[in-house]
Amino acid sequence: MGRAKEHFMELQQIQDETRLAEKLGITYEELCATEWHIETFTSKDGLIYDYVVYFESGPKEILKKIKGLDKDNQVSFQPHEFKDNNHDHE
């Protein structure tokens, strides 16, 4: 892969993570201070039911700020909440 394409992909990832942070009610920098991943739940036909962001670890003061964070340290989003992103989240 060329350097220009790598740079573009890095910028796209930063934009996606910045939008995710905004949806969570934290800053991009705060999101970067946590360990997290996203899983997509789909039907056998490929229909996306929801996205779940799992937080494995992070500073407690940041985790407390996250909108919708449940007792299992996860946040669910409906597919329409990610309609502004142009690619898969996994």
Side-chain angles (χ1 to χ4, degrees):
M1 180 178 339
R3 292 185 63 70
K5 188 172 183 178
E6 286 178 17
H7 181 69
F8 174 77
M9 290 176 68
E10 288 174 12
L11 289 175
Q12 185 65 47
Q13 181 178 353
I14 290 169
Q15 289 176 346
D16 289 348
E17 291 177 1
T18 298
R19 282 194 293 265
L20 175 61
E22 289 172 0
K23 291 176 191 310
L24 294 168
I26 58 176
T27 66
Y28 170 75
E29 291 77 15
E30 289 171 324
L31 182 64
C32 291
T34 65
E35 292 293 322
W36 60 276
H37 71 278
I38 295 179
E39 290 186 21
T40 304
F41 290 88
T42 60
S43 69
K44 291 179 183 177
D45 298 336
L47 178 67
I48 297 173
Y49 290 117
D50 61 0
Y51 296 99
V52 179
V53 182
Y54 295 93
F55 289 88
E56 286 96 32
S57 64
K60 288 181 183 180
E61 63 272 7
I62 294 174
L63 295 176
K64 286 180 182 179
K65 290 179 167 182
I66 296 174
K67 290 189 234 176
L69 188 68
D70 67 16
K71 64 179 176 49
D72 296 319
N73 282 353
Q74 59 190 34
V75 180
S76 296
F77 291 100
Q78 297 295 310
H80 70 274
E81 294 176 276
F82 281 97
K83 68 182 178 184
D84 57 345
N85 292 350
N86 297 320
H87 63 281
D88 194 5
H89 294 278
E90 288 192 299

